[in-house]
Amino acid sequence: MNFKKLLRGPFLYIIAGAIVLWIGFTLLAGLGGFRPISTQEGLELLESGPVVSAKIVDGEQRVDLVLEAETEQAEEFGTQVQFYYVTPRGDEVIAALNAADLESFDDEVPQTNFFVSILGLIIPFLIIGVIFYFILTRLQGGGGRVMQFGKSKAKLVNKEAPQVTFDDVAGAEEAIEELHEIKDFLQDPTKFQAVGARIPKGVLLYGPPGTGKTLLARSVAGEAGVPFYSISGSDFVEMFVGVGASRVRDLFTQAKENSPAIIFVDEIDAVGRHRGAGMGGGHDEREQTLNQLLVEMDGFDPNTNVIMIAATNRPDILDPALLRPGRFDRQIQVDAPDMKGRAKILEVHAKGKPMAEGVDFEVLARKTPGFTGADLANVLNEAALLTARQGGEELTDVTLDEAVDRVMAGPQRRSRVMRDHEKLITAYHEGGHALAAAAMRNTDPVTKVTILPRGRALGYTMVLPLDDRYSITRNELLDQLTYAMGGRVAEEIVFHDPTTGASNDIEKATSIARRMVTEYGMSATVGAIKLGQSSGEVFLGRDMGHQRDYSERLAEKVDQEVRALIEQAHDEAWRVLNDNRDILDRLATELLEKETLDHVALAEIFQNVDKLPERPQWLSSEDRPLPDLPPVPMPAKPAIEDLDTGASEPVGAGAGSARSQAHDAPARAGEGPVSSDPEQSPRRE
């Protein structure tokens, strides 16, 4: 019998049932059908006379009495009672028994079996021991892991398991090229050793979530065909002190015994955080684990073919000792893919899905700037779900179009019914955004405007960049500010009563303006200096304790410059909407009638828009004279005609066709303005 398998099944319930039965049997055996009474009540019964027989159990100092039936005492207590007495009252009990008129009296001491007594003492301890054993095995994940806290929890990928190769990874050609060397070294290390080359001991994959870091590590294992140990960073640290360091030692011992091998640690920031950081001191157990990891990585035998691959999306908080050469020699950034990479990723995830004839992945990739591999996989999965829901058999441009909108802005809220007055406000709000964007000279083309609620937004305007963007100019940022303020200005001009729907626009416009002043050096008054700490996520204990590194006077200047930029954008939007008021009214009327306008309808409406004049040339200081030579002209941007939206008819009511331009450029210039705070008022994006 395999006792370990029993413990993993319903054996616990069997043990519990046995305990309950044993306790119940013991109690019933002890009572024997007799009702317990007090010592005084027993003496009174012996004195009053209804007792027929008595039995004294001297070993337990217990007296069992049988009462005469159909008596007053028998009706009150029953015919069988028992009571216990203490040693000082023993003589009194014996005297009462001798004085009573009893038909039978048994005062013999019962002989207790020695082995039965010992068994009665051992059984409870055995049951407690079995329960404790079961709890330990459950905590450690199996009966074979009892007290083996220091053993590694790494999973060894079986060679018979489905393998992932480099062919299954798309959109990360540079990372794959770097990892090819790792595969070649594991397969043929002599080629590198012959020329004195030393392969990296560790490879760190870092980048935003969803870009395929774990998939890349699995592909290296699949290509190399070597043992692949996979573990999460959080699996090292346990509630017991010293367990993490022990597990690190055990993991590297296993890998060395089976070399060549790969160790993959996912989310290494869980154990590799900067030592000494944290409010109130560091975590000793985590730091011990990190110290052991540092020793093991630097203590590799040069001829031991063991390579460690780690993944994280927070490389900024890792300990510097972990990132130095000799440990993680190579650091590979896995970023969001470009347009060609997105097209290849879509082709990979489309395998096994019935695609309609004419679906162009390049067009779909153009609609999804800023999407990661996980986002694109989600787009195709949403399209498949929509196709199945509608009873279709193939994924078409229409369903893919709707899937992009669902991933970007959430599902359409058909149950939300707006009043006519709110619809009119939303139409002018979105029309103000679209018209302001169309009248600027440095914005991307407007591809869609809708007043149908989707996600947290009551309506939204999509401005689609037609190519990948890696930097952004000052004029483009100023145009984004004007575009963001267009909705609020339209409400002021038309209704003279702004609403809360512009809260998200104001928030993002303020963020862009502040970053222009404090990070990008785009203020002539403040100058090209960096103010404050980085705007990334706060690392508790390292960033929260920092003080502001500029004076109150300069902070006041920053606030004035931010306000000036917002006011300038407000004035530009005011001028554009007033100069094109007839186009704004027509656009709002079309939106009320059709609810959704695509790029074709918008191009027809905006063909006679009066563009805002070019802004004056700008230098970082007002004291510097402009050079004699004119600035180099910028290359022309792609035209809206270069975009084939694919789907001419929207799905249901108001399906989107592209991802809108982000306000928080240039980090991800392809993201759309989507509300992020569900507790605030509904917003018109």
Side-chain angles (χ1 to χ4, degrees):
M1 178 181 295
N2 193 334
F3 189 61
K4 299 176 183 178
K5 291 184 177 179
L6 287 177
L7 285 176
R8 296 174 186 172
F11 194 55
L12 177 64
Y13 300 103
I14 298 175
I15 294 176
I19 293 174
V20 173
L21 291 175
W22 178 72
I23 293 175
F25 177 78
T26 303
L27 293 175
L28 291 176
L31 293 175
F34 285 81
R35 176 181 174 180
I37 60 176
S38 65
T39 305
Q40 188 61 35
E41 290 175 337
L43 294 175
E44 291 177 355
L45 288 175
L46 289 171
E47 184 179 352
S48 59
V51 180
V52 177
S53 63
K55 178 181 179 181
I56 182 169
V57 183
D58 190 44
E60 300 181 10
Q61 293 183 306
R62 188 186 78 221
V63 179
D64 296 338
L65 303 178
V66 177
L67 306 182
E68 184 178 352
E70 299 180 355
T71 60
E72 182 179 350
Q73 292 84 352
E75 293 178 358
E76 180 180 358
F77 298 104
T79 57
Q80 293 182 325
V81 296
Q82 62 181 201
F83 66 92
Y84 293 85
Y85 61 91
V86 294
T87 301
R89 303 191 67 176
D91 295 339
E92 183 181 358
V93 171
I94 295 299
L97 288 170
N98 292 329
D101 186 13
L102 304 176
E103 295 180 1
S104 63
F105 174 55
D106 185 3
D107 60 350
E108 295 181 1
V109 178
Q111 298 295 323
T112 304
N113 190 297
F114 175 75
F115 293 102
V116 173
S117 301
I118 295 297
L119 188 63
L121 294 175
I122 293 177
I123 286 179
F125 292 101
L126 287 176
I127 293 175
I128 294 173
V130 169
I131 294 175
F132 184 68
Y133 179 86
F134 178 82
I135 293 174
L136 283 180
T137 55
R138 282 294 184 183
L139 287 175
Q140 291 300 312
R145 312 248 334 166
V146 178
M147 301 307 291
Q148 297 182 359
F149 302 112
K151 295 295 182 181
S152 169
K153 292 185 177 182
K155 297 178 182 179
L156 177 61
V157 177
N158 195 344
K159 293 183 179 181
E160 286 73 22
Q163 297 294 325
V164 178
T165 64
F166 289 143
D167 295 334
D168 299 315
V169 183
E173 284 72 18
E174 292 85 357
I176 292 176
E177 184 178 352
E178 297 288 337
L179 293 173
H180 258 296
E181 290 185 5
I182 306 298
K183 181 200 75 169
D184 295 340
F185 175 80
L186 292 173
Q187 290 180 339
D188 185 17
T190 57
K191 179 176 67 173
F192 295 88
Q193 295 171 358
V195 295
R198 179 179 59 83
I199 200 68
K201 296 180 180 179
V203 178
L204 178 66
L205 303 174
Y206 68 93
T211 51
K213 299 182 290 296
T214 304
L215 184 65
L216 279 169
R218 291 171 57 195
S219 66
V220 175
E223 290 281 348
V226 298
F228 182 76
Y229 295 89
S230 176
I231 191 171
S232 172
S234 60
D235 288 337
F236 286 114
V237 181
E238 198 61 80
M239 62 182 290
F240 303 100
V241 177
V243 171
S246 177
R247 287 178 178 172
V248 171
R249 287 190 295 269
D250 183 67
L251 173 61
F252 280 86
T253 300
Q254 293 181 40
K256 291 175 184 178
E257 291 174 353
N258 296 279
S259 64
I262 295 175
I263 297 175
F264 175 59
V265 181
D266 200 5
E267 305 296 346
I268 194 173
D269 50 278
V271 69
R273 283 176 174 255
H274 199 297
R275 288 171 292 183
M279 306 297 284
H283 191 307
D284 291 339
E285 170 61 10
R286 183 187 58 77
E287 291 192 2
Q288 287 181 16
T289 306
L290 175 58
N291 290 338
Q292 186 63 43
L293 183 63
L294 296 174
V295 170
E296 292 291 343
M297 289 189 68
D298 202 26
F300 278 163
D301 189 326
N303 298 321
T304 301
N305 301 334
V306 177
I307 294 177
M308 181 171 178
I309 302 177
T312 180
N313 52 15
R314 293 297 311 275
D316 55 308
I317 66 174
L318 295 180
D319 193 88
L322 196 62
L323 302 178
R324 73 161 176 81
R327 293 197 174 104
F328 281 116
D329 304 80
R330 184 165 298 178
Q331 301 176 27
I332 302 175
Q333 182 176 8
V334 186
D335 213 340
D338 57 10
M339 190 177 69
K340 293 182 180 179
R342 292 194 297 273
K344 293 180 180 179
I345 291 174
L346 288 168
E347 291 177 2
V348 170
H349 289 295
K351 294 178 181 178
K353 294 182 175 62
M355 308 300 297
E357 186 177 356
V359 172
D360 191 346
F361 289 125
E362 290 188 1
V363 173
L364 188 58
R366 192 182 290 273
K367 300 174 185 177
T368 53
F371 277 47
T372 64
D375 292 329
L376 296 171
N378 196 20
V379 166
L380 289 177
N381 186 60
E382 287 288 346
L385 292 174
L386 286 170
T387 302
R389 189 183 308 164
Q390 297 169 1
E393 297 180 353
E394 293 180 330
L395 277 66
T396 64
D397 286 324
V398 176
T399 53
L400 289 169
D401 221 36
E402 169 68 5
V404 172
D405 268 4
R406 292 175 70 91
V407 172
M408 183 271 292
Q412 185 178 324
R413 305 185 66 176
R414 295 183 176 88
S415 60
R416 173 173 285 184
V417 180
M418 291 193 297
R419 298 175 299 168
D420 293 340
H421 179 64
E422 284 189 331
K423 272 192 174 182
L424 182 63
I425 295 176
T426 304
Y428 272 101
H429 182 101
E430 300 305 329
H433 279 310
L435 181 55
M440 295 294 106
R441 297 181 179 273
N442 301 281
T443 56
D444 294 303
V446 183
T447 58
K448 178 187 174 184
V449 182
T450 181
I451 59 172
L452 292 171
R454 182 181 290 275
R456 302 185 186 98
L458 298 178
Y460 51 93
T461 300
M462 289 194 174
V463 179
L464 176 67
L466 298 180
D467 51 2
D468 291 314
R469 189 76 54 79
Y470 302 103
S471 63
I472 191 166
T473 65
R474 180 177 182 272
N475 277 325
E476 287 173 340
L477 289 174
L478 292 175
D479 283 1
Q480 286 191 23
L481 293 178
T482 305
Y483 155 64
M485 299 303 295
R488 166 65 177 260
V489 173
E491 293 178 3
E492 293 179 0
I493 291 176
V494 177
F495 303 103
H496 307 291
D497 188 16
T499 69
T500 60
S503 60
N504 189 241
D505 301 326
I506 295 173
E507 175 186 345
K508 294 193 174 182
T510 305
S511 175
I512 293 176
R514 186 166 295 277
R515 292 171 70 179
M516 289 176 65
V517 175
T518 61
E519 295 183 32
Y520 306 147
M522 295 180 179
S523 168
T525 303
V526 176
I529 58 176
K530 174 71 168 62
L531 302 178
Q533 304 299 320
S534 299
S535 58
E537 298 178 42
V538 174
F539 181 23
L540 185 65
R542 188 185 68 186
D543 295 338
M544 291 187 66
H546 285 179
Q547 301 294 323
R548 189 170 61 186
D549 54 3
Y550 52 95
S551 65
E552 292 291 339
R553 183 179 177 183
L554 186 54
E556 184 179 357
K557 280 189 177 182
V558 169
D559 293 338
Q560 291 172 354
E561 285 293 299
V562 171
R563 182 181 179 86
L565 289 173
I566 297 297
E567 287 296 329
Q568 176 184 340
H570 192 284
D571 293 341
E572 289 180 349
W574 186 281
R575 190 187 325 165
V576 166
L577 298 186
N578 273 311
D579 293 345
N580 299 278
R581 176 60 187 272
D582 56 334
I583 298 177
L584 177 62
D585 293 336
R586 179 185 173 188
L587 180 56
T589 303
E590 293 278 349
L591 283 172
L592 289 173
E593 180 182 348
K594 299 179 180 179
E595 295 183 326
T596 300
L597 298 177
D598 60 10
H599 75 285
V600 177
L602 291 171
E604 195 275 329
I605 295 174
F606 293 148
Q607 61 183 349
N608 296 321
V609 169
D610 291 334
K611 294 277 188 178
L612 193 73
E614 288 282 359
R615 297 186 182 91
Q617 297 182 26
W618 182 87
L619 293 175
S620 59
S621 174
E622 299 175 354
D623 299 331
R624 299 189 185 100
L626 288 173
D628 295 334
L629 296 176
V632 177
M634 298 287 289
K637 292 185 177 180
I640 185 65
E641 290 77 12
D642 296 339
L643 174 65
D644 180 11
T645 56
S648 57
E649 295 295 333
V651 177
S657 61
R659 198 170 195 172
S660 60
Q661 182 178 355
H663 289 320
D664 54 348
R668 295 184 64 182
E671 289 191 2
V674 179
S675 304
S676 59
D677 187 359
E679 299 298 327
Q680 296 186 7
S681 304
R683 296 164 174 167
R684 301 173 184 86
E685 303 293 348

